[in-house]
């Protein structure tokens, strides 16, 4: 079988920092950006050499809200890249210049090793190895060919069943025994890369999450070879396995006896399948098996910038938020508040359709109820925590003011759009903090304030949309009357719908925006 590594996949929480480290600092090429094959709302980035060669690839699943993982037995612990031995000094100097945490260099198995820590805490080893073949240098990486990363060198696997792990990798994945140092058994591939199996007996168990390595993928020539290994594993009763077409390669997943997830991936069809070699990594792709509108999914995925490109620098504000910048921004902004159990990304597709050129800012509520996000707490379906509403409305008013200095938002050209619980929060903010919101779209709203403030909302324009079959529809009237009596210009629409949003909402919002 084709020997050696195909790719290594890890998990990041810090997407822009991840891109800046692996492209900007290490000089790798971003060769593909996709939605996750299992979750279309998860960004998946692939880095590699200039031609996305199998054996040079490292990929990251982006878990912006993922909990921090834990390195332990039953998972890989380090990623190794091959560089020329004489390049160690260059990388040590570069790490000091870029303030990257380092350890070493030190000799391991007769090779100089410099350890770096990436922004999520993953250990990346730069290993000086003698040249064992050509590689496709990426000239756009800013690193000279002599110093550049050449390919993957290996990975470390922590196992409480080190002998069984090594035996499994040798029998099924084409590795062979190499030298041993202390509690580390090195396994060799014909391609020259290595797997270090470290006996981690007595160490704690790994926990998946951000800052950890998810799996190691080995190379197969083609799908037929993957299927052949699959049959051998089944005959060996190797446990649960999954086979998937990943569009760019065909994959088999299995866990080795120590618990680490192992993938076997075919070399083809390769990453040039849907964009030419010179344009690799320039487009965002959604796997075809997702039936949802692909343009909607693209809007929901986080944006980032490559080195030298414009990017949004996120500010540490009081509410978690997601920004989506239009291709041709017109200076307007939509601030989006989700419904109960939603997220800051939920309303981005709707907002992009109604305002193609606006900057979108999706906001996440800070209160939680049974693990789901809300903008304020409630005691029952119709009994709301008034103190929490007041506190969160005050915090949101401050957040809205901070958007001006943080992102250059123009209050005169800003519209706040909320759905359900988010709409209710906007209704409370307008009553408690008049002047903060000048234009608002309230979808499936109701009044949640027990007190009856008398704000001056002169000049405030509001669209309120209720569903005729919505159980909460009758409760919208009180909020609409309150806003009208305070001087706001309120446009009321009732459509044939329940509590969920429907295409008619989009049409009504577009018409209202054009007329306001």
């Amino acid at each position: 079988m084709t020997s050696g590594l195909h790719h290594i996949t890890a998990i990041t929480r810090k997407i822009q920092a991840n891109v800046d480290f692996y492209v900007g600092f290490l000089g790798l090429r971003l060769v593909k950006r996709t939605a996750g094959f299992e979750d279309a709302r998860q960004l998946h980035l692939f880095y590699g050499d200039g031609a996305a060669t199998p054996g040079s690839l490292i990929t990251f699943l982006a878990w912006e809200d993922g909990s921090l993982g834990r390195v332990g037995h039953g998972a890989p612990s380090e990623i190794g890249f091959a560089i020329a031995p004489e390049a160690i000094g260059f990388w040590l100097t570069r790490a000091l210049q870029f303030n990257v945490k380092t350890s070493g260099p030190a000799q391991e198995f007769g090779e100089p090793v410099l350890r770096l820590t990436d922004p999520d805490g993953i250990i990346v080893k730069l290993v000086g190895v003698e040249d064992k073949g050509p590689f496709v240098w990426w000239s756009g990486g800013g690193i000279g060919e002599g110093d550049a990363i050449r390919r993957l060198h290996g990975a470390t696997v922590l196992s409480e069943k080190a002998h069984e792990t090594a035996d499994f990798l040798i029998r099924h994945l084409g590795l062979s025994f190499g030298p041993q140092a202390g509690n580390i058994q090195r396994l060799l591939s014909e391609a020259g890369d290595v797997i270090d199996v470290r006996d981690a007996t007595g160490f704690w168990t790994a926990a998946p999450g951000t800052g950890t390595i998810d799996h190691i993928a080995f190379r197969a020539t083609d799908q037929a070879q993957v299927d052949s290994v699959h049959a051998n594993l089944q005959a060996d009763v190797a446990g649960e396995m999954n086979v998937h077409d990943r569009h760019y390669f065909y994959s088999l997943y299995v866990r080795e006896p120590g618990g680490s997830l192992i993938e076997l991936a075919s070399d083809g069809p390769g990453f040039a399948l849907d964009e030419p070699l010179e344009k690799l990594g320039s487009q965002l792709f959604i796997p075809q098996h997702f039936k949802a509108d692909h343009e909607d999914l693209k809007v929901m995925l986080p944006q980032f910038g490559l080195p030298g490109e414009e990017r949004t620098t996120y500010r540490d504000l009081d509410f978690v938020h997601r920004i989506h910048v239009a291709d041709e921004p017109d200076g307007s902004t939509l601030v989006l508040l989700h419904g109960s159990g939603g997220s800051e990304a939920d309303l981005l597709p709707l907002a992009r359709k109604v305002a193609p050129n606006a900057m979108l800012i999706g906001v996440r509520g800070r209160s939680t109820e049974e693990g789901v996000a809300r903008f304020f707490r409630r005691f029952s379906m119709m009994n709301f925590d008034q103190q929490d509403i007041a506190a969160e409305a005050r915090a949101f008013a401050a957040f809205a003011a901070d958007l001006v200095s943080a992102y250059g938002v123009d209050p005169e050209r800003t519209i706040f759009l909320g759905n359900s619980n988010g709409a209710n929060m906007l209704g409370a903010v307008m009553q408690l903090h008049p002047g903060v919101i000048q234009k608002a779209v309230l979808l499936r709203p109701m009044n949640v304030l027990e007190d009856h403030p008398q704000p001056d909302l002169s000049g405030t324009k509001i669209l309120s949309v209720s569903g005729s079959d919505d159980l909460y529809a009758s409760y919208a009237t009180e909020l609409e009357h309150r806003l009208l009596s305070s001087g706001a210009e309120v446009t009321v629409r009732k459509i044939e719908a329940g509590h969920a949003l429907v295409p008619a909402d989009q049409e009504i919002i577009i018409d209202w925006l054009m007329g306001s």
Side-chain angles (χ1 to χ4, degrees):
M1 67 180 293
T2 298
S3 175
L5 294 169
H6 185 280
H7 67 267
I8 297 174
T9 293
I11 303 170
T12 179
R13 187 186 183 99
K14 305 172 182 179
I15 298 167
Q16 185 62 66
N18 183 270
V19 173
D20 290 342
F21 181 83
Y22 286 92
V23 177
F25 174 71
L26 290 183
L28 300 177
R29 183 181 186 184
L30 177 66
V31 297
K32 193 65 60 177
R33 56 180 90 184
T34 77
F37 284 89
E38 305 296 335
D39 182 356
R41 296 176 62 169
Q42 180 184 68
L43 187 66
H44 194 175
L45 302 180
F46 297 74
Y47 308 104
D49 68 7
T53 308
S56 73
L57 303 167
I58 179 169
T59 93
F60 282 88
L61 299 167
W63 291 8
E64 288 186 306
D65 298 319
S67 60
L68 185 66
R70 181 180 65 207
V71 176
H73 66 76
S77 65
E78 294 179 322
I79 299 168
F81 286 107
I83 59 172
E86 57 271 20
I88 288 287
F90 166 84
W91 283 104
L92 179 58
T93 301
R94 185 171 174 82
L96 293 172
Q97 291 173 336
F98 280 75
N99 198 30
V100 173
K101 183 179 178 181
T102 63
S103 174
Q107 290 288 316
E108 297 179 12
F109 291 98
E111 300 166 333
V113 175
L114 179 66
R115 280 179 169 80
L116 311 173
T117 302
D118 87 351
D120 290 287
I122 295 172
I123 301 301
V124 174
K125 298 194 302 184
L126 300 183
V127 185
V129 297
E130 295 300 331
D131 186 12
K132 296 181 180 179
F135 76 107
V136 183
W137 174 54
W138 172 234
S139 59
I143 309 295
E145 186 172 2
D147 295 318
I149 288 173
R150 305 179 69 83
R151 62 183 179 278
L152 286 172
H153 178 63
T156 301
V157 174
L158 303 182
S159 177
E160 278 199 318
K161 302 177 180 179
H163 295 295
E164 294 178 50
T165 296
D167 179 67
F168 178 92
L169 297 176
I170 289 169
R171 285 191 296 114
H172 295 294
L173 294 164
L175 301 180
S176 60
F177 278 113
Q180 185 169 355
N183 63 346
I184 300 175
Q185 173 63 62
R186 172 156 286 190
L187 304 181
L188 309 175
S189 79
E190 293 179 3
D193 45 38
V194 304
I195 296 295
D196 289 333
V197 179
R198 179 178 176 182
D199 188 341
T201 302
F203 201 42
W204 51 66
T205 306
T210 60
T212 64
I213 302 168
D214 186 71
H215 64 268
I216 298 171
F218 293 86
R219 291 179 65 183
T221 305
D222 50 27
Q223 179 176 337
Q225 192 172 71
V226 174
D227 290 337
S228 176
V229 173
H230 187 196
N232 292 337
L233 288 166
Q234 288 177 316
D236 202 32
V237 193
E240 183 179 351
M241 287 171 276
N242 295 290
V243 178
H244 297 283
D245 182 353
R246 297 307 195 195
H247 189 58
Y248 307 109
F249 43 85
Y250 182 77
S251 291
L252 162 70
Y253 297 86
V254 63
R255 290 195 180 274
E256 51 83 16
S260 292
L261 182 61
I262 301 297
E263 178 182 357
L264 181 63
S266 64
D267 278 0
F271 290 99
L273 183 64
D274 47 21
E275 57 185 342
L277 183 63
E278 63 273 14
K279 296 289 186 180
L280 285 181
S282 60
Q283 297 184 55
L284 173 61
F285 291 95
I286 308 294
Q288 292 300 314
H289 62 269
F290 289 110
K291 303 304 181 185
D293 187 313
H294 285 196
E295 293 306 312
D296 284 356
L297 293 172
K298 288 179 180 179
V299 174
M300 299 180 77
L301 292 170
Q303 294 177 313
F304 61 88
L306 292 173
E309 293 181 346
E310 291 186 13
R311 81 268 302 271
T312 298
T313 300
Y314 276 80
R315 307 302 181 185
D316 187 15
L317 304 183
D318 286 341
F319 285 79
V320 172
H321 54 286
R322 167 84 60 81
I323 294 177
H324 193 275
V325 179
D327 292 335
E328 298 180 6
D330 62 7
S332 64
T333 302
L334 262 67
V335 181
L336 313 169
L337 283 70
H338 61 78
S340 296
S343 77
E344 62 273 22
D346 280 7
L347 294 173
L348 291 173
L350 171 64
R352 181 53 70 218
K353 289 173 181 174
V354 302
N357 302 112
M359 177 169 68
L360 309 180
I361 304 179
V363 185
R364 187 194 308 171
R366 306 192 305 180
S367 295
T368 57
E369 180 178 307
E370 297 180 351
V372 302
R374 289 176 53 85
F375 283 93
F376 51 82
R377 293 189 297 267
R378 61 183 178 180
F379 300 125
S380 67
M381 294 296 289
M382 299 300 296
N383 186 10
F384 306 100
D385 186 334
Q386 298 298 304
Q387 290 186 340
D388 196 40
I389 293 172
E392 291 305 295
R394 183 167 56 252
F396 187 83
F399 170 79
D402 289 340
L403 293 177
V404 177
S405 57
Y407 302 114
V409 169
D410 181 354
E412 299 291 329
R413 302 194 64 194
T414 299
I415 299 165
F416 294 79
L417 187 155
N419 176 42
S420 187
N421 181 247
N424 302 343
M425 170 55 79
L426 293 179
V429 171
M430 286 188 283
Q431 293 178 74
L432 297 172
H433 301 278
V436 171
I437 296 173
Q438 299 179 33
K439 283 187 178 182
V441 176
L442 310 180
L443 304 175
R444 313 300 187 270
M446 64 178 294
N447 179 65
V448 293
L449 290 180
E450 294 175 1
D451 293 337
H452 198 317
Q454 299 294 322
D456 180 4
L457 296 179
S458 301
T460 303
K461 295 183 178 181
I462 301 165
L463 170 65
S464 176
V465 186
S466 300
S468 59
D469 299 324
D470 184 2
L471 295 175
Y472 294 97
S474 61
Y475 298 101
T477 304
E478 180 185 354
L479 176 61
E480 293 160 357
H481 285 168
R482 285 190 178 207
L483 299 174
L484 275 167
S485 64
S486 298
E489 178 185 319
V490 182
T491 301
V492 177
R493 294 285 185 269
K494 184 168 286 188
I495 60 176
E496 292 186 8
H499 198 66
L501 301 182
V502 296
D505 288 290
Q506 175 184 322
E507 298 170 5
I508 290 172
I509 296 170
I510 292 173
D511 289 342
W512 183 77
L513 291 176
M514 292 179 63
S516 62

